Amino acid sequence: MSVPLMGMLLLLSVAMAGAGIVIAVLLLKNPPLPPATFCAVLVLIVASSTAAVYCYGWFSVTLGGPFPELCEDRNASGAELASLKQEYWPLRNACVYSDGSTVEYVSPSVNVVVRVLAGLAVVLTGAAVFLRRRVRRSPESTAAQGPPAGRAGAQ
């Protein structure tokens, strides 16, 4: 992916997370609160936060930060620098030495945060779908709405 595209994705995901937070606050201030709708807003917040954290990690890998300069020509055991390794999933910058040792410069916490947020988004999506289907099938919701409009004149 190109840097401008990832930059736009980062800005869009931060804006969506902010909008989701504003929507969640407005929903909490105006009861009654439909649980499925609130779960959907939480999915928006968590998913856009996941994208923002991933983009941050992607930029740290792509733009390198202090990465290439941090690689020593030789490690503590005297092995020479064999190669530089950059991966986008999982996000990592690494100095690979001839003895097989590596020194990573992207924190593994970025990968952990991305995976936890993505998992939470999937769980919340499932909860929103479950709550939405449960509301549709509950007898109280159909009784409160009355008969369908097409059958009202036929009775």
Side-chain angles (χ1 to χ4, degrees), residues 46 49-50 53-54 107-119:
V46 172
S49 298
T50 304
V53 171
Y54 180 80
S107 172
S109 63
V110 171
N111 285 322
V112 170
V113 170
V114 167
R115 290 177 177 163
V116 167
L117 287 174

Side-chain angles (χ1 to χ4, degrees), residues 77-89:
S77 65
E80 290 187 19
L81 179 65
S83 65
L84 302 174
K85 190 173 193 178
Q86 292 184 318
E87 293 179 11
Y88 297 105
W89 191 260

Side-chain angles (χ1 to χ4, degrees), residues 19-147:
I21 291 170
V22 169
I23 291 169
V25 168
L26 291 175
L27 282 174
L28 288 173
K29 286 186 176 184
N30 298 318
L33 180 66
T37 303
F38 192 69
C39 274
V41 171
L42 289 178
V43 168
L44 172 72
I45 295 169
V46 172
S48 56
S49 298
T50 304
V53 171
Y54 180 80
C55 289
Y56 163 76
W58 188 90
F59 275 114
S60 69
V61 169
T62 302
L63 301 178
F67 169 62
E69 293 80 22
L70 290 176
C71 289
E72 307 267 335
D73 291 338
R74 293 186 180 276
N75 67 1
S77 65
E80 290 187 19
L81 179 65
S83 65
L84 302 174
K85 190 173 193 178
Q86 292 184 318
E87 293 179 11
Y88 297 105
W89 191 260
L91 294 167
R92 67 182 259 186
N93 278 331
C95 305
V96 181
Y97 292 95
S98 59
D99 64 354
S101 64
T102 60
V103 178
E104 292 193 15
Y105 288 101
V106 173
S107 172
S109 63
V110 171
N111 285 322
V112 170
V113 170
V114 167
R115 290 177 177 163
V116 167
L117 287 174
L120 183 60
V122 168
V123 168
L124 285 171
T125 301
V129 168
F130 173 75
L131 290 170
R132 184 75 164 173
R133 287 184 179 170
R134 192 179 88 187
V135 168
R136 280 191 201 154
R137 292 182 184 165
S138 73
E140 301 90 35
S141 66
T142 55
Q145 292 175 357

